[in-house]
DNA sequence: AAGTTCTTATTAC
DNA sequence: CTAACGGTAATAAGAACTT
């Protein structure tokens, strides 16, 4: 390759807003600053059923974390400020932030309300320059929105995200290509996107070692990983080595839309269940009424957390709410008939053609 | 036997 | 004293059913 088509060096930036929902609440309510703030379900004196969506660092000092049952968060810190999720507000702020980010490259992939990847390949010529860009972005976001964020820069999406994790909160971290593999070697295998608790447990069994590090998992060959984990296995082989070829691309249209509801108390009250279900169908229908759909799924979680689904397919087309309701209600009723257990959650989802 | 459809498991934010 | 646990979406794998 010693000619004119010298390959441009890939440079990817990952931006992640710090404790996003809670930080916005602090911004809107300065009197919260310095106090523990928890955004999520209503704790209801410790009897609430939801989870923590986001919390600030003061709340984390008490052991509270995202995804934790709100009842547990309440026990850990009953005096915290518990706030409901104000999604409208967070969406508006998210749009403002990423409008700023967009100016740094037209190639941007928003992963969620608070995270995005930006492809700087070709736009900047070096990691030194990329660092300056990142610092710039952080500065502008803070000046315009009074919110802090963290940024990671590296040779691919996965490494940029890991770099960002290391930068948190309110920081920036660059991992150059030569540093990549070595930097992640001592991290837990769950650092790799796609490796969650179940996959980790499987790896633990294979290695006869708990909390395996990435370096430990390097002993597996590509074909071994493929045997263990199928299609994902080959990906893991590369990711464990810091390699990730996935492109930065705009989020595509949703392939399905759904809604779920967890009851305050587990129930078999058909009136109530049907009433809620009807609302779910209506809400989903209003989101997709001008889209062609070709299937639907009904979800039921019983009191013991056992979760089942029933689905039907039909010809792609635009359907009325009544049609969707008629098609789905019979599936829902089967869940009531086929078990005497109380029901914890019901859900309704449609597949977009 | 191949092609859909249905169901569950896992992951991520 | 057991068990704390949302909502939304994607993807993969395998079973079940059709053709």
């Amino acid at each position: 390759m010693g000619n004119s088509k010298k390959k441009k060096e890939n440079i990817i930036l990952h931006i992640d807003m710090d404790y996003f929902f809670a930080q916005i609440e602090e911004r809107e309510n300065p009197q919260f600053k310095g106090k523990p703030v928890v955004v999520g379900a209503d704790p209801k004196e410790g009897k609430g059923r939801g989870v923590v969506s986001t919390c600030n660092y003061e709340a984390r000092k008490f052991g509270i974390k995202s995804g934790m049952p709100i009842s547990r968060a309440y026990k850990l810190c009953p005096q915290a400020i518990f706030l409901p999720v104000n999604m409208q507000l967070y969406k508006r702020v998210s749009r403002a932030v990423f409008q700023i980010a967009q100016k740094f490259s037209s190639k941007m992939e928003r992963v969620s309300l608070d995270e995005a990847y930006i492809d700087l390949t070709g736009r900047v010529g070096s990691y030194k320059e990329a660092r300056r860009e990142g610092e710039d972005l952080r500065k502008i976001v803070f000046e315009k929105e009074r919110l802090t964020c963290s940024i990671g820069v590296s040779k691919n999406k996965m490494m940029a995200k890991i770099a960002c994790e290391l930068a948190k909160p309110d920081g920036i971290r660059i991992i150059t290509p030569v540093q990549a593999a070595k930097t992640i070697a001592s991290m837990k295998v769950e650092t790799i996107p796609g490796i969650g608790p179940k996959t980790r447990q499987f790896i633990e069994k294979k290695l006869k070692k708990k909390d395996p590090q990435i370096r430990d998992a390097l002993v597996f060959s590509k074909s071994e990983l493929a045997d263990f984990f199928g299609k994902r296995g080959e990906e893991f082989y590369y990711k464990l080595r810091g390699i990730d070829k996935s492109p930065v691309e705009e989020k595509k249209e949703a392939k399905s839309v759904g809604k779920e509801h967890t009851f305050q108390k587990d129930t078999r009250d058909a009136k109530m269940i049907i009433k809620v279900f009807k609302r779910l169908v209506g809400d989903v229908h209003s989101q997709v009424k001008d889209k062609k759909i070709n299937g639907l799924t009904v979800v039921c979680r019983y009191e013991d957390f056992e979760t089942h689904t029933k689905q039907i397919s039909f010809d792609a087309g635009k359907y009325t709410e009544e049609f969707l309701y008629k098609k789905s209600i019979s599936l829902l009723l089967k869940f009531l008939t086929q078990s005497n257990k109380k029901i914890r959650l019901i859900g309704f989802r449609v597949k977009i053609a």
Side-chain angles (χ1 to χ4, degrees):
Chain A
M1 250 194 236
N3 60 16
S4 57
K5 51 180 174 181
K6 177 174 57 181
K7 253 296 182 48
K8 273 177 296 191
E9 183 174 38
N10 282 312
I11 304 184
I12 311 297
L13 179 153
H14 184 254
I15 173 171
D16 192 335
M17 301 304 294
D18 298 328
Y19 63 105
F20 192 44
F21 299 173
Q23 195 188 176
I24 294 173
E25 297 293 350
E26 286 179 355
R27 183 188 78 176
E28 304 294 306
N29 307 277
Q31 71 276 20
F32 294 165
K33 273 266 170 76
K35 297 182 178 163
V37 174
V38 179
V39 178
D42 184 345
K44 299 231 173 72
E45 321 278 308
K47 303 210 169 328
R49 295 194 108 171
V51 297
V52 174
S53 193
T54 325
C55 63
N56 66 3
Y57 282 81
E58 282 76 15
R60 288 176 206 197
K61 287 183 201 153
F62 291 88
I64 300 175
K65 293 211 279 261
S66 313
M68 173 182 283
I70 199 77
S71 54
R72 184 164 173 211
Y74 187 82
K75 272 173 212 151
L76 289 168
C77 185
Q79 75 274 25
I81 298 165
F82 288 89
L83 300 170
V85 178
N86 183 352
M87 205 52 92
Q88 284 315 103
L89 171 62
Y90 312 150
K91 278 187 178 159
R92 202 181 329 130
V93 178
S94 175
R95 272 196 298 273
V97 168
F98 291 114
Q99 202 168 310
I100 296 168
Q102 180 82 257
K103 301 217 166 76
F104 285 72
S105 163
S106 50
K107 232 191 241 175
M108 178 167 88
E109 175 179 341
R110 293 174 58 164
V111 213
S112 64
L113 284 188
D114 73 326
E115 267 181 59
Y117 294 98
I118 296 172
D119 193 342
L120 297 178
T121 306
R123 264 215 65 234
V124 300
S126 67
Y127 277 85
K128 204 170 172 189
E129 211 181 316
R131 177 190 287 276
R132 281 199 295 270
E133 289 284 295
E135 284 167 351
D136 225 31
L137 174 53
R138 277 179 18 85
K139 192 160 143 234
I140 299 173
V141 168
F142 188 75
E143 282 169 358
K144 294 233 159 104
E145 289 298 321
R146 305 318 282 187
L147 293 170
T148 67
C149 63
S150 299
I151 284 177
V153 179
S154 193
K155 61 174 178 173
N156 58 46
K157 290 206 288 185
M158 179 191 73
M159 288 305 307
K161 185 169 169 63
I162 291 171
C164 184
E165 209 56 44
L166 295 173
K168 277 180 195 179
D170 197 15
I172 182 165
R173 173 69 194 262
I174 315 300
I175 299 178
T176 62
V178 274
Q179 299 169 328
K182 192 169 175 200
T183 306
I184 61 173
S186 59
M187 296 179 175
K188 302 180 294 182
V189 290
E190 275 170 289
T191 307
I192 303 295
I195 299 186
K198 294 291 176 183
T199 307
R200 186 206 68 224
Q201 280 167 33
F202 190 96
I203 294 171
E204 283 179 338
K205 234 178 255 160
K206 283 284 162 201
L207 291 172
K208 299 195 185 72
K209 181 172 194 182
K210 74 180 228 333
D211 274 311
Q213 297 181 343
I214 287 173
R215 69 159 59 85
D216 300 319
L218 295 177
V219 302
F220 298 124
S221 68
K222 208 191 297 179
S223 57
E224 256 177 312
L225 289 170
D227 284 352
F228 299 157
F229 307 116
K231 212 180 149 177
R232 300 148 64 222
E234 186 157 336
E235 285 284 282
F236 292 162
Y237 179 86
Y238 291 105
K239 286 181 169 176
L240 290 164
R241 288 158 177 77
I243 299 165
D244 167 22
K245 296 270 177 243
S246 66
V248 174
E249 53 190 358
E250 315 255 323
K251 254 237 288 298
K252 306 177 207 78
E253 319 245 318
K255 295 172 180 171
S256 71
V257 171
K259 215 161 187 319
E260 302 179 341
H261 177 84
T262 298
F263 296 102
Q264 309 252 306
K265 292 189 56 187
D266 304 337
T267 181
R268 289 190 58 77
D269 176 350
K271 272 254 165 58
M272 143 115 108
I273 293 169
I274 290 166
K275 196 178 79 184
V276 170
F277 187 72
K278 210 163 190 165
R279 180 161 55 77
L280 296 179
V281 174
D283 287 355
V284 171
H285 177 256
S286 71
Q287 282 182 71
V288 300
K289 57 176 167 311
D290 35 330
K291 295 196 196 327
K292 286 191 176 184
I293 61 178
N294 62 353
L296 63 81
T297 306
V298 176
V299 188
C300 173
R301 174 172 296 152
Y302 293 107
E303 52 189 336
D304 58 1
F305 250 76
E306 213 175 79
T307 307
H308 296 276
T309 61
K310 292 188 191 293
Q311 68 171 25
I312 44 176
S313 301
F314 37 78
D315 292 339
K318 297 177 189 170
Y319 292 98
T320 62
E321 185 180 334
E322 291 67 41
F323 176 86
L324 298 180
Y325 179 73
K326 274 189 193 141
K327 284 276 173 199
S328 57
I329 189 70
S330 53
L331 302 184
L332 177 73
L333 294 175
K334 284 187 199 166
F335 285 123
L336 271 163
T337 341
Q338 78 189 197
S339 165
N340 296 328
K341 288 185 226 169
K342 286 197 268 192
I343 290 172
R344 181 186 181 92
L345 164 149
I346 55 171
F348 176 75
R349 174 164 296 277
V350 296
K351 185 149 53 98
I352 295 165

